[in-house]
Amino acid sequence: MILDLSEDGKFVTISAFKAPPSIDPSVALRELRMAIPAAEVQFFDGAHVAGKEHLEIAVVNALHAFKMGINISRSVAMETLLYASAQRQIDVALATLGVTGNSRVIGLVAFSETKAGAEELEDKIAQFLGTEMNEALLDDWSDVKAGRIMTVYGIGDMELESIRMPGQQIEEAVKKAVIERVALLSTRT
């Protein structure tokens, strides 16, 4: 998926991939950044991502923070991680949503100045990693993933039940709670 955020000067690729067992995603990210130094790329532990919309909202908020001069980090990729994790401290954000050697589904956000550049970047990243991109992986849910996200983001059962509509799947309520936290990050001082 490529987001056209050209009003903020960016086109953004949001996707995901399954990390081959031979790859440590944190090492792969460092190597990728060295191999494609012009690219701003961030990986996310897919087990803690509440769907594509979660990363979309984080990207929009990160770009807005840079536009308004209220950014916490020096890179829009790291700012996106801060927003996606709903944290103001980089070390806490990395612990919450960053990739580790145990991460198997990896969310990906990459920034480019042009749409063609964003498409090319996605292809380069897939080729570099030797894997296929599949954004649908971000929206794969299980009871285990929902529980893990609730724990990571501090979503209690009472909160979940208060926002869950009758007949609504639990993952939709979890996603809503996470997105609220992402959106509220910029209002915290």
Side-chain angles (χ1 to χ4, degrees), residues 117-151:
E119 291 167 352
E120 183 180 324
L121 189 54
E122 185 175 11
D123 292 340
K124 279 184 181 179
I125 292 169
Q127 186 177 17
F128 178 85
L129 296 169
T131 190
E132 291 184 25
M133 296 293 160
N134 180 359
E135 68 188 59
L137 292 170
L138 295 171
D139 291 315
D140 279 351
W141 283 86
S142 68
D143 290 342
V144 171
K145 180 176 178 175
R148 186 177 292 143
I149 290 173
M150 287 175 63
T151 300

mmCIF file of all heavy atoms in Angstrom, residues 117-151:
data_model
loop_
_atom_site.group_PDB
_atom_site.id
_atom_site.type_symbol
_atom_site.label_atom_id
_atom_site.label_comp_id
_atom_site.label_asym_id
_atom_site.label_seq_id
_atom_site.Cartn_x
_atom_site.Cartn_y
_atom_site.Cartn_z
ATOM 1 N N GLY A 117 9.259 6.432 -6.497
ATOM 2 C CA GLY A 117 10.303 6.126 -5.521
ATOM 3 C C GLY A 117 9.803 5.195 -4.436
ATOM 4 O O GLY A 117 10.527 4.297 -3.989
ATOM 5 N N ALA A 118 8.565 5.387 -3.989
ATOM 6 C CA ALA A 118 7.981 4.527 -2.960
ATOM 7 C C ALA A 118 7.806 3.106 -3.487
ATOM 8 O O ALA A 118 8.107 2.132 -2.783
ATOM 9 C CB ALA A 118 6.643 5.096 -2.491
ATOM 10 N N GLU A 119 7.333 2.979 -4.716
ATOM 11 C CA GLU A 119 7.163 1.652 -5.322
ATOM 12 C C GLU A 119 8.512 0.961 -5.487
ATOM 13 O O GLU A 119 8.655 -0.223 -5.184
ATOM 14 C CB GLU A 119 6.455 1.778 -6.670
ATOM 15 C CG GLU A 119 5.012 2.207 -6.550
ATOM 16 C CD GLU A 119 4.387 2.648 -7.873
ATOM 17 O OE1 GLU A 119 5.111 2.778 -8.885
ATOM 18 O OE2 GLU A 119 3.159 2.857 -7.882
ATOM 19 N N GLU A 120 9.497 1.716 -5.955
ATOM 20 C CA GLU A 120 10.837 1.173 -6.158
ATOM 21 C C GLU A 120 11.456 0.753 -4.820
ATOM 22 O O GLU A 120 12.101 -0.281 -4.716
ATOM 23 C CB GLU A 120 11.716 2.219 -6.844
ATOM 24 C CG GLU A 120 13.111 1.746 -7.169
ATOM 25 C CD GLU A 120 13.930 2.826 -7.846
ATOM 26 O OE1 GLU A 120 13.378 3.615 -8.637
ATOM 27 O OE2 GLU A 120 15.138 2.872 -7.565
ATOM 28 N N LEU A 121 11.233 1.566 -3.803
ATOM 29 C CA LEU A 121 11.770 1.274 -2.484
ATOM 30 C C LEU A 121 11.211 -0.034 -1.931
ATOM 31 O O LEU A 121 11.951 -0.859 -1.385
ATOM 32 C CB LEU A 121 11.468 2.435 -1.541
ATOM 33 C CG LEU A 121 12.125 2.436 -0.175
ATOM 34 C CD1 LEU A 121 13.638 2.293 -0.283
ATOM 35 C CD2 LEU A 121 11.774 3.713 0.554
ATOM 36 N N GLU A 122 9.913 -0.241 -2.092
ATOM 37 C CA GLU A 122 9.306 -1.495 -1.629
ATOM 38 C C GLU A 122 9.944 -2.687 -2.330
ATOM 39 O O GLU A 122 10.265 -3.691 -1.696
ATOM 40 C CB GLU A 122 7.797 -1.478 -1.854
ATOM 41 C CG GLU A 122 7.104 -2.695 -1.277
ATOM 42 C CD GLU A 122 5.588 -2.641 -1.385
ATOM 43 O OE1 GLU A 122 5.038 -1.772 -2.077
ATOM 44 O OE2 GLU A 122 4.950 -3.495 -0.751
ATOM 45 N N ASP A 123 10.146 -2.565 -3.642
ATOM 46 C CA ASP A 123 10.778 -3.651 -4.397
ATOM 47 C C ASP A 123 12.219 -3.883 -3.942
ATOM 48 O O ASP A 123 12.659 -5.025 -3.790
ATOM 49 C CB ASP A 123 10.744 -3.357 -5.898
ATOM 50 C CG ASP A 123 9.339 -3.398 -6.472
ATOM 51 O OD1 ASP A 123 8.441 -4.001 -5.845
ATOM 52 O OD2 ASP A 123 9.133 -2.810 -7.560
ATOM 53 N N LYS A 124 12.965 -2.803 -3.722
ATOM 54 C CA LYS A 124 14.356 -2.922 -3.274
ATOM 55 C C LYS A 124 14.436 -3.600 -1.906
ATOM 56 O O LYS A 124 15.313 -4.425 -1.670
ATOM 57 C CB LYS A 124 15.014 -1.535 -3.177
ATOM 58 C CG LYS A 124 15.499 -0.971 -4.468
ATOM 59 C CD LYS A 124 16.207 0.355 -4.196
ATOM 60 C CE LYS A 124 16.703 0.982 -5.476
ATOM 61 N NZ LYS A 124 17.367 2.279 -5.215
ATOM 62 N N ILE A 125 13.535 -3.235 -1.021
ATOM 63 C CA ILE A 125 13.537 -3.819 0.319
ATOM 64 C C ILE A 125 13.221 -5.312 0.246
ATOM 65 O O ILE A 125 13.893 -6.121 0.880
ATOM 66 C CB ILE A 125 12.549 -3.074 1.241
ATOM 67 C CG1 ILE A 125 13.067 -1.645 1.497
ATOM 68 C CG2 ILE A 125 12.357 -3.821 2.557
ATOM 69 C CD1 ILE A 125 12.057 -0.734 2.167
ATOM 70 N N ALA A 126 12.218 -5.676 -0.546
ATOM 71 C CA ALA A 126 11.865 -7.094 -0.701
ATOM 72 C C ALA A 126 13.039 -7.879 -1.275
ATOM 73 O O ALA A 126 13.351 -8.981 -0.800
ATOM 74 C CB ALA A 126 10.635 -7.233 -1.601
ATOM 75 N N GLN A 127 13.689 -7.297 -2.276
ATOM 76 C CA GLN A 127 14.838 -7.954 -2.896
ATOM 77 C C GLN A 127 15.995 -8.070 -1.897
ATOM 78 O O GLN A 127 16.617 -9.119 -1.776
ATOM 79 C CB GLN A 127 15.275 -7.173 -4.132
ATOM 80 C CG GLN A 127 16.362 -7.828 -4.930
ATOM 81 C CD GLN A 127 16.682 -7.029 -6.193
ATOM 82 O OE1 GLN A 127 16.340 -5.861 -6.321
ATOM 83 N NE2 GLN A 127 17.353 -7.672 -7.120
ATOM 84 N N PHE A 128 16.254 -7.006 -1.165
ATOM 85 C CA PHE A 128 17.337 -7.005 -0.174
ATOM 86 C C PHE A 128 17.104 -8.085 0.882
ATOM 87 O O PHE A 128 18.032 -8.785 1.280
ATOM 88 C CB PHE A 128 17.443 -5.623 0.492
ATOM 89 C CG PHE A 128 18.503 -5.541 1.547
ATOM 90 C CD1 PHE A 128 19.814 -5.260 1.204
ATOM 91 C CD2 PHE A 128 18.203 -5.743 2.891
ATOM 92 C CE1 PHE A 128 20.810 -5.189 2.169
ATOM 93 C CE2 PHE A 128 19.176 -5.675 3.866
ATOM 94 C CZ PHE A 128 20.488 -5.400 3.505
ATOM 95 N N LEU A 129 15.865 -8.210 1.343
ATOM 96 C CA LEU A 129 15.532 -9.175 2.397
ATOM 97 C C LEU A 129 15.315 -10.590 1.869
ATOM 98 O O LEU A 129 15.273 -11.537 2.642
ATOM 99 C CB LEU A 129 14.279 -8.719 3.143
ATOM 100 C CG LEU A 129 14.410 -7.406 3.911
ATOM 101 C CD1 LEU A 129 13.043 -6.930 4.378
ATOM 102 C CD2 LEU A 129 15.367 -7.555 5.078
ATOM 103 N N GLY A 130 15.126 -10.714 0.552
ATOM 104 C CA GLY A 130 14.868 -12.021 -0.039
ATOM 105 C C GLY A 130 13.527 -12.587 0.377
ATOM 106 O O GLY A 130 13.383 -13.780 0.633
ATOM 107 N N THR A 131 12.518 -11.707 0.450
ATOM 108 C CA THR A 131 11.191 -12.128 0.874
ATOM 109 C C THR A 131 10.147 -11.355 0.084
ATOM 110 O O THR A 131 10.479 -10.423 -0.638
ATOM 111 C CB THR A 131 11.004 -11.905 2.393
ATOM 112 O OG1 THR A 131 9.804 -12.522 2.816
ATOM 113 C CG2 THR A 131 10.996 -10.444 2.755
ATOM 114 N N GLU A 132 8.900 -11.755 0.216
ATOM 115 C CA GLU A 132 7.803 -11.060 -0.453
ATOM 116 C C GLU A 132 7.067 -10.177 0.528
ATOM 117 O O GLU A 132 6.880 -10.548 1.692
ATOM 118 C CB GLU A 132 6.821 -12.070 -1.055
ATOM 119 C CG GLU A 132 7.389 -12.833 -2.231
ATOM 120 C CD GLU A 132 6.352 -13.743 -2.865
ATOM 121 O OE1 GLU A 132 5.133 -13.466 -2.749
ATOM 122 O OE2 GLU A 132 6.773 -14.740 -3.474
ATOM 123 N N MET A 133 6.643 -9.020 0.046
ATOM 124 C CA MET A 133 5.854 -8.111 0.869
ATOM 125 C C MET A 133 4.386 -8.512 0.792
ATOM 126 O O MET A 133 3.903 -8.917 -0.264
ATOM 127 C CB MET A 133 6.012 -6.670 0.387
ATOM 128 C CG MET A 133 7.407 -6.130 0.517
ATOM 129 S SD MET A 133 7.856 -5.959 2.237
ATOM 130 C CE MET A 133 9.624 -5.915 2.103
ATOM 131 N N ASN A 134 3.689 -8.396 1.916
ATOM 132 C CA ASN A 134 2.276 -8.742 1.966
ATOM 133 C C ASN A 134 1.620 -7.919 3.074
ATOM 134 O O ASN A 134 1.643 -8.323 4.245
ATOM 135 C CB ASN A 134 2.101 -10.237 2.220
ATOM 136 C CG ASN A 134 0.656 -10.660 2.281
ATOM 137 O OD1 ASN A 134 -0.260 -9.841 2.144
ATOM 138 N ND2 ASN A 134 0.424 -11.934 2.498
ATOM 139 N N GLU A 135 1.044 -6.792 2.707
ATOM 140 C CA GLU A 135 0.448 -5.893 3.707
ATOM 141 C C GLU A 135 -0.688 -6.545 4.491
ATOM 142 O O GLU A 135 -0.982 -6.147 5.619
ATOM 143 C CB GLU A 135 -0.023 -4.596 3.067
ATOM 144 C CG GLU A 135 -1.197 -4.784 2.132
ATOM 145 C CD GLU A 135 -1.552 -3.545 1.345
ATOM 146 O OE1 GLU A 135 -0.704 -3.035 0.613
ATOM 147 O OE2 GLU A 135 -2.705 -3.108 1.487
ATOM 148 N N ALA A 136 -1.325 -7.567 3.932
ATOM 149 C CA ALA A 136 -2.433 -8.260 4.608
ATOM 150 C C ALA A 136 -1.971 -8.919 5.910
ATOM 151 O O ALA A 136 -2.792 -9.155 6.807
ATOM 152 C CB ALA A 136 -3.059 -9.296 3.683
ATOM 153 N N LEU A 137 -0.684 -9.188 6.046
ATOM 154 C CA LEU A 137 -0.169 -9.784 7.283
ATOM 155 C C LEU A 137 -0.440 -8.889 8.489
ATOM 156 O O LEU A 137 -0.584 -9.381 9.607
ATOM 157 C CB LEU A 137 1.335 -10.042 7.174
ATOM 158 C CG LEU A 137 1.778 -11.117 6.193
ATOM 159 C CD1 LEU A 137 3.294 -11.090 6.011
ATOM 160 C CD2 LEU A 137 1.315 -12.487 6.658
ATOM 161 N N LEU A 138 -0.513 -7.578 8.261
ATOM 162 C CA LEU A 138 -0.762 -6.639 9.363
ATOM 163 C C LEU A 138 -2.167 -6.802 9.937
ATOM 164 O O LEU A 138 -2.406 -6.457 11.095
ATOM 165 C CB LEU A 138 -0.560 -5.196 8.888
ATOM 166 C CG LEU A 138 0.867 -4.836 8.489
ATOM 167 C CD1 LEU A 138 0.899 -3.459 7.843
ATOM 168 C CD2 LEU A 138 1.809 -4.914 9.677
ATOM 169 N N ASP A 139 -3.083 -7.279 9.128
ATOM 170 C CA ASP A 139 -4.473 -7.418 9.556
ATOM 171 C C ASP A 139 -4.841 -8.852 9.931
ATOM 172 O O ASP A 139 -6.016 -9.166 10.086
ATOM 173 C CB ASP A 139 -5.412 -6.877 8.473
ATOM 174 C CG ASP A 139 -5.311 -5.373 8.345
ATOM 175 O OD1 ASP A 139 -5.309 -4.691 9.387
ATOM 176 O OD2 ASP A 139 -5.216 -4.875 7.211
ATOM 177 N N ASP A 140 -3.841 -9.725 10.089
ATOM 178 C CA ASP A 140 -4.084 -11.083 10.590
ATOM 179 C C ASP A 140 -4.228 -11.009 12.105
ATOM 180 O O ASP A 140 -3.337 -10.516 12.791
ATOM 181 C CB ASP A 140 -2.909 -12.014 10.246
ATOM 182 C CG ASP A 140 -2.971 -12.535 8.826
ATOM 183 O OD1 ASP A 140 -3.998 -12.317 8.159
ATOM 184 O OD2 ASP A 140 -1.989 -13.155 8.387
ATOM 185 N N TRP A 141 -5.346 -11.472 12.608
ATOM 186 C CA TRP A 141 -5.623 -11.409 14.044
ATOM 187 C C TRP A 141 -5.834 -12.802 14.600
ATOM 188 O O TRP A 141 -6.285 -13.702 13.902
ATOM 189 C CB TRP A 141 -6.882 -10.583 14.307
ATOM 190 C CG TRP A 141 -6.649 -9.117 14.205
ATOM 191 C CD1 TRP A 141 -6.686 -8.364 13.073
ATOM 192 C CD2 TRP A 141 -6.321 -8.225 15.266
ATOM 193 N NE1 TRP A 141 -6.408 -7.054 13.376
ATOM 194 C CE2 TRP A 141 -6.188 -6.940 14.710
ATOM 195 C CE3 TRP A 141 -6.131 -8.390 16.635
ATOM 196 C CZ2 TRP A 141 -5.868 -5.825 15.475
ATOM 197 C CZ3 TRP A 141 -5.824 -7.275 17.400
ATOM 198 C CH2 TRP A 141 -5.694 -6.007 16.812
ATOM 199 N N SER A 142 -5.520 -12.930 15.859
ATOM 200 C CA SER A 142 -5.831 -14.138 16.636
ATOM 201 C C SER A 142 -6.126 -13.663 18.049
ATOM 202 O O SER A 142 -5.837 -12.515 18.402
ATOM 203 C CB SER A 142 -4.638 -15.101 16.639
ATOM 204 O OG SER A 142 -3.561 -14.536 17.373
ATOM 205 N N ASP A 143 -6.689 -14.537 18.862
ATOM 206 C CA ASP A 143 -6.929 -14.186 20.260
ATOM 207 C C ASP A 143 -5.620 -13.887 20.977
ATOM 208 O O ASP A 143 -5.545 -12.991 21.816
ATOM 209 C CB ASP A 143 -7.673 -15.308 20.982
ATOM 210 C CG ASP A 143 -9.121 -15.436 20.505
ATOM 211 O OD1 ASP A 143 -9.638 -14.477 19.896
ATOM 212 O OD2 ASP A 143 -9.717 -16.501 20.747
ATOM 213 N N VAL A 144 -4.560 -14.605 20.602
ATOM 214 C CA VAL A 144 -3.245 -14.388 21.213
ATOM 215 C C VAL A 144 -2.736 -12.991 20.866
ATOM 216 O O VAL A 144 -2.266 -12.255 21.738
ATOM 217 C CB VAL A 144 -2.234 -15.469 20.758
ATOM 218 C CG1 VAL A 144 -0.826 -15.131 21.195
ATOM 219 C CG2 VAL A 144 -2.659 -16.835 21.273
ATOM 220 N N LYS A 145 -2.851 -12.606 19.592
ATOM 221 C CA LYS A 145 -2.393 -11.272 19.177
ATOM 222 C C LYS A 145 -3.213 -10.187 19.876
ATOM 223 O O LYS A 145 -2.646 -9.214 20.366
ATOM 224 C CB LYS A 145 -2.489 -11.112 17.661
ATOM 225 C CG LYS A 145 -2.028 -9.743 17.173
ATOM 226 C CD LYS A 145 -2.039 -9.623 15.658
ATOM 227 C CE LYS A 145 -1.624 -8.242 15.216
ATOM 228 N NZ LYS A 145 -1.504 -8.124 13.760
ATOM 229 N N ALA A 146 -4.514 -10.342 19.939
ATOM 230 C CA ALA A 146 -5.363 -9.343 20.602
ATOM 231 C C ALA A 146 -4.961 -9.204 22.068
ATOM 232 O O ALA A 146 -4.818 -8.081 22.576
ATOM 233 C CB ALA A 146 -6.835 -9.729 20.478
ATOM 234 N N GLY A 147 -4.736 -10.317 22.740
ATOM 235 C CA GLY A 147 -4.315 -10.285 24.145
ATOM 236 C C GLY A 147 -2.956 -9.636 24.325
ATOM 237 O O GLY A 147 -2.739 -8.853 25.267
ATOM 238 N N ARG A 148 -2.036 -9.944 23.421
ATOM 239 C CA ARG A 148 -0.694 -9.373 23.490
ATOM 240 C C ARG A 148 -0.755 -7.858 23.298
ATOM 241 O O ARG A 148 -0.109 -7.109 24.026
ATOM 242 C CB ARG A 148 0.184 -10.014 22.416
ATOM 243 C CG ARG A 148 1.640 -9.596 22.482
ATOM 244 C CD ARG A 148 2.479 -10.317 21.456
ATOM 245 N NE ARG A 148 2.553 -11.732 21.801
ATOM 246 C CZ ARG A 148 2.556 -12.709 20.908
ATOM 247 N NH1 ARG A 148 2.478 -12.448 19.623
ATOM 248 N NH2 ARG A 148 2.633 -13.968 21.291
ATOM 249 N N ILE A 149 -1.546 -7.397 22.336
ATOM 250 C CA ILE A 149 -1.671 -5.959 22.086
ATOM 251 C C ILE A 149 -2.319 -5.269 23.279
ATOM 252 O O ILE A 149 -1.896 -4.181 23.679
ATOM 253 C CB ILE A 149 -2.436 -5.698 20.775
ATOM 254 C CG1 ILE A 149 -1.567 -6.118 19.579
ATOM 255 C CG2 ILE A 149 -2.845 -4.230 20.652
ATOM 256 C CD1 ILE A 149 -2.257 -6.081 18.234
ATOM 257 N N MET A 150 -3.321 -5.900 23.875
ATOM 258 C CA MET A 150 -3.957 -5.320 25.059
ATOM 259 C C MET A 150 -2.935 -5.140 26.183
ATOM 260 O O MET A 150 -2.914 -4.102 26.848
ATOM 261 C CB MET A 150 -5.119 -6.196 25.529
ATOM 262 C CG MET A 150 -6.336 -6.123 24.626
ATOM 263 S SD MET A 150 -7.650 -7.270 25.131
ATOM 264 C CE MET A 150 -8.072 -6.643 26.754
ATOM 265 N N THR A 151 -2.071 -6.112 26.362
ATOM 266 C CA THR A 151 -1.039 -6.032 27.398
ATOM 267 C C THR A 151 -0.032 -4.933 27.073
ATOM 268 O O THR A 151 0.272 -4.093 27.925
ATOM 269 C CB THR A 151 -0.313 -7.389 27.542
ATOM 270 O OG1 THR A 151 -1.279 -8.380 27.907
ATOM 271 C CG2 THR A 151 0.791 -7.322 28.575
#
